[in-house]
């Protein structure tokens, strides 16, 4: 088993509030896992004889986690419309219908996942195409690239062009085949997510069958919830028997410990409480929320609760591919909210960094193996070069630098101890 000590500055989260920083740190990696993380002066005598990879002049952070994106939407970045529902109808549905062509799907998957790795995402929860063969091709590309991904075929049976829709029983049968092929594949880097697009695209029957399958096998579930005022009104008219939007998924059995709910801007306290109780997670997508004029999620209020939260790029309503950019944006958007409402607080630098790393891993249910540099976890990390005129000798300095200047200084992405992307 290969082993090495990486010598450099190291920044990671112990938990939501606490970061740990070593200005001259040592990260011991053995067989693709973390053996130890401490000051280099403490590590060196304990692991004397191991080769030292001298990365001084860089700061190492854990691999970033994107908890929500759409693979088929890469080429729609920037194609703006008045709001979410117009954008879906006019831009997104016609584009997604092109994924009937599996060769096209494969080309986009390569471009999308290469871009994700270059943006130092090591784990991503992502919507795939509406077609089984195209989704299969996306999984194949993800396996080639070595990225960790939670992915699923986008499921729709209502309110969209016919070429995007199928019968619930046919969709569920396709999911079962994809689960058999891909869930846990590539040495446990790939996972399946049942992906009912949102209540606006799914009949009661489809939601029910998804819930039944989620109860039968331990796969993830990903969907959208409470994203825009227009969507909320429309969903309420489609499902008048429900007291609120969350209840639609809840009664279908879709709020599980492995469920990721994108956006969650407009939730009543009872809905939040139910999400928390069920152990489901929120994917906060601040760039997308502004881009489509959906709203501003009250992040700092949610951070006071023990509800799981990660960050999502939401490509292609989102336009950053970097979760570090999204973390920075989460703070800047909270500042706007504070200025407008003259109340509320802004997440700290540490909280924003947590959301991008350990928070994301917790949201996707992988905190036992990813998200920080605790002993025994997978060695997923990112090397960020420190600009020569910058002094970084405290945790605060490191957080400021990583969040506000990190993206443009990334030089390598490592998954399970192996470099999967380097700056050329
Ligand atoms: N709600 C339903 N589908 C989508 C989508 O593709 N993107 C976003 N942002 N919201 C959605
Ligand atoms: Zn989305």
């Amino acid at each position: 088993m290969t082993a090495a000590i990486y010598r450099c500055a190291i920044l990671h989260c112990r938990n939501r509030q606490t970061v740990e920083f070593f200005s001259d740190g040592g990260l011991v990696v053995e067989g693709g896992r973390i053996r130890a993380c401490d000051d280099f002066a403490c590590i060196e005598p304990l692991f004397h004889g191991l080769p030292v990879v001298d990365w001084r002049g860089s700061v190492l952070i854990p691999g970033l986690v994107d908890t929500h994106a759409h693979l088929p939407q890469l080429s729609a970045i920037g194609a703006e419309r008045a709001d979410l529902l117009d954008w879906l109808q006019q831009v997104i549905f016609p584009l997604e219908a092109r994924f009937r062509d599996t060769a096209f799907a494969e080309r986009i998957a390569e471009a999308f996942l290469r871009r994700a790795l270059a943006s130092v995402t090591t784990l991503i929860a992502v919507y795939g195409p509406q077609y089984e063969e195209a989704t299969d091709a996306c999984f194949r590309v993800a396996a080639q690239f070595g990225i960790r991904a939670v992915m699923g075929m986008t499921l729709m049976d209502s309110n969209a062009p016919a070429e995007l829709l199928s019968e619930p029983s046919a969709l569920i049968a396709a999911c079962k085949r994809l689960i058999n092929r891909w869930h846990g594949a590539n040495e446990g880097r790939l996972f399946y997510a049942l992906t009912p697009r949102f209540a606006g695209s799914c009949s009661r029957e489809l939601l029910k069958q998804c819930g039944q399958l989620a109860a039968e096998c331990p796969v993830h579930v990903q969907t959208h919830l409470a994203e825009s005022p227009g969507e909320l009104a429309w969903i309420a008219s489609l499902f008048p028997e429900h007291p609120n939007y969350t209840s639609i998924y809840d009664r279908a059995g879709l709020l599980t410990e492995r469920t990721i709910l994108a956006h969650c801007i407009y939730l009543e306290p009872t809905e939040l409480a139910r999400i928390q109780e069920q152990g489901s997670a929120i994917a906060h997508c601040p760039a997308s929320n502004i881009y489509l004029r959906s709203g501003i999620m009250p992040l700092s209020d949610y951070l006071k609760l023990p509800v799981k939260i990660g960050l999502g790029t939401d490509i292609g309503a989102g336009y950053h591919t970097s979760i570090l950019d999204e973390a920075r944006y989460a703070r800047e958007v909270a500042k706007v909210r504070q200025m407008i409402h003259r109340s509320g607080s802004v997440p700290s630098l540490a909280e924003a960094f947590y959301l991008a790393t350990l928070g994301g891993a917790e949201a996707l249910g992988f905190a036992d193996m990813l998200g920080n540099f605790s002993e025994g976890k997978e060695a997923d990390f990112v090397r960020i070069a420190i600009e020569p005129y910058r002094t970084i000798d405290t945790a605060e300095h490191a957080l400021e630098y990583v969040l506000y200047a990190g993206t443009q200084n990334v030089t390598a992405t490592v998954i399970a101890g192996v470099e999967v992307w380097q700056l050329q």
Side-chain angles (χ1 to χ4, degrees):
M1 280 280 169
T2 51
I5 307 173
Y6 290 81
R7 182 176 188 180
C8 47
I10 299 173
L11 177 71
H12 72 142
C13 284
R14 283 272 164 228
N15 54 45
R16 207 174 254 200
Q17 285 84 24
T18 323
V19 292
E20 191 168 49
F21 175 67
F22 304 100
S23 57
D24 182 13
L27 184 76
V28 184
V29 174
E30 187 175 18
R33 288 180 187 271
I34 309 292
R35 271 290 302 280
C37 179
D38 207 332
D39 282 315
F40 184 76
C42 300
I43 291 286
E44 218 272 327
L46 290 175
F47 295 92
H48 195 71
L50 282 190
V52 175
V53 180
D54 190 349
W55 278 5
R56 278 176 290 179
S58 305
V59 56
L60 228 64
I61 62 168
L64 301 178
V65 182
D66 186 347
T67 62
H68 181 71
H70 297 256
L71 188 151
Q73 296 178 10
L74 183 68
S75 62
I77 289 177
E80 194 179 326
R81 291 296 182 275
D83 73 355
L84 167 68
L85 300 179
D86 282 355
W87 174 77
L88 285 175
Q89 292 290 342
Q90 295 169 25
V91 178
I92 295 304
F93 291 161
L95 170 62
E96 291 184 349
R98 293 187 61 194
F99 284 74
R100 273 173 303 182
D101 174 356
T102 304
F104 177 72
E106 203 167 314
R107 278 208 310 282
I108 299 293
E110 283 170 4
F112 182 99
L113 295 172
R114 190 173 296 118
R115 182 101 63 101
L117 286 175
S119 305
V120 295
T121 293
T122 51
L123 168 63
I124 186 165
V126 60
Y127 276 51
Q130 282 83 347
Y131 308 99
E132 183 179 355
E133 280 179 18
T135 305
D136 204 50
C138 294
F139 269 112
R140 269 201 310 277
V141 174
Q144 276 161 23
F145 281 40
I147 195 166
R148 301 183 196 276
V150 175
M151 183 157 57
M153 185 168 98
T154 296
L155 306 177
M156 304 170 66
D157 73 343
S158 318
N159 306 317
E163 58 268 33
L164 292 172
L165 311 179
S166 293
E167 288 302 315
S169 54
L171 290 171
I172 296 297
C175 289
K176 286 182 178 167
R177 288 189 291 272
L178 288 164
I179 290 169
N180 281 336
R181 246 173 280 154
W182 293 110
H183 190 62
N186 205 25
E187 298 178 341
R189 292 194 193 182
L190 299 178
F191 294 89
Y192 197 79
L194 290 170
T195 309
R197 178 176 213 125
F198 73 145
S201 302
C202 301
S203 65
R204 289 165 184 75
E205 181 58 26
L206 177 54
L207 293 171
K208 188 175 111 194
Q209 291 198 27
C210 283
Q212 283 165 351
L213 187 51
E216 279 165 27
C217 58
V219 291
H220 284 76
V221 174
Q222 54 185 352
T223 192
H224 296 91
L225 175 63
E227 179 175 359
S228 84
E231 174 216 22
L232 240 66
W234 184 52
I235 298 290
S237 74
L238 291 175
F239 294 87
E241 71 278 24
H242 285 275
N244 54 54
Y245 197 162
T246 304
S247 148
I248 301 170
Y249 299 138
D250 192 11
R251 285 197 210 156
L254 287 168
L255 294 188
T256 76
E257 279 189 340
R258 283 174 296 275
T259 296
I260 308 138
L261 301 161
H263 303 286
C264 296
I265 301 175
Y266 305 99
L267 294 179
E268 296 296 329
T270 51
E271 297 179 87
L272 263 174
R274 187 65 188 142
I275 291 167
Q276 186 181 312
E277 189 175 52
Q278 291 297 102
S280 301
I282 293 173
H284 178 39
C285 310
S288 158
N289 293 344
I290 299 299
Y291 178 79
L292 290 176
R293 302 175 178 88
S294 301
I296 301 181
M297 193 192 89
L299 174 59
S300 38
D301 294 346
Y302 290 8
L303 281 171
K304 292 184 193 126
L305 308 169
V307 66
K308 293 187 245 172
I309 311 178
L311 294 171
T313 56
D314 197 24
I315 302 278
Y319 45 88
H320 311 275
T321 51
S322 160
I323 281 293
L324 280 183
D325 286 347
E326 208 67 43
R328 189 181 66 232
Y329 213 60
R331 298 191 76 245
E332 301 309 303
V333 164
K335 290 179 194 170
V336 173
R337 191 168 200 279
Q338 192 183 50
M339 286 188 283
I340 295 170
H341 296 291
R342 299 189 185 282
S343 66
S345 56
V346 175
S348 66
L349 293 165
E351 284 171 327
F353 180 66
Y354 157 83
L355 291 172
T357 56
L358 185 59
E362 287 170 355
L364 300 188
F366 295 112
D368 57 338
M369 55 182 276
L370 300 169
N372 64 9
F373 296 138
S374 295
E375 188 185 341
K377 288 198 179 182
E378 300 272 332
D380 289 10
F381 52 86
V382 173
R383 180 185 183 186
I384 298 174
I386 300 173
E387 292 161 357
Y389 43 82
R390 191 97 187 198
T391 306
I392 296 185
D393 31 50
T394 65
E396 201 68 8
H397 291 161
L399 285 168
E400 290 162 1
Y401 183 69
V402 164
L403 287 169
Y404 284 82
T407 302
Q408 57 269 38
N409 288 298
V410 169
T411 56
T413 308
V414 175
I415 295 185
V418 175
E419 279 192 33
V420 290
W421 179 86
Q422 308 85 18
L423 185 68
Q424 296 298 328

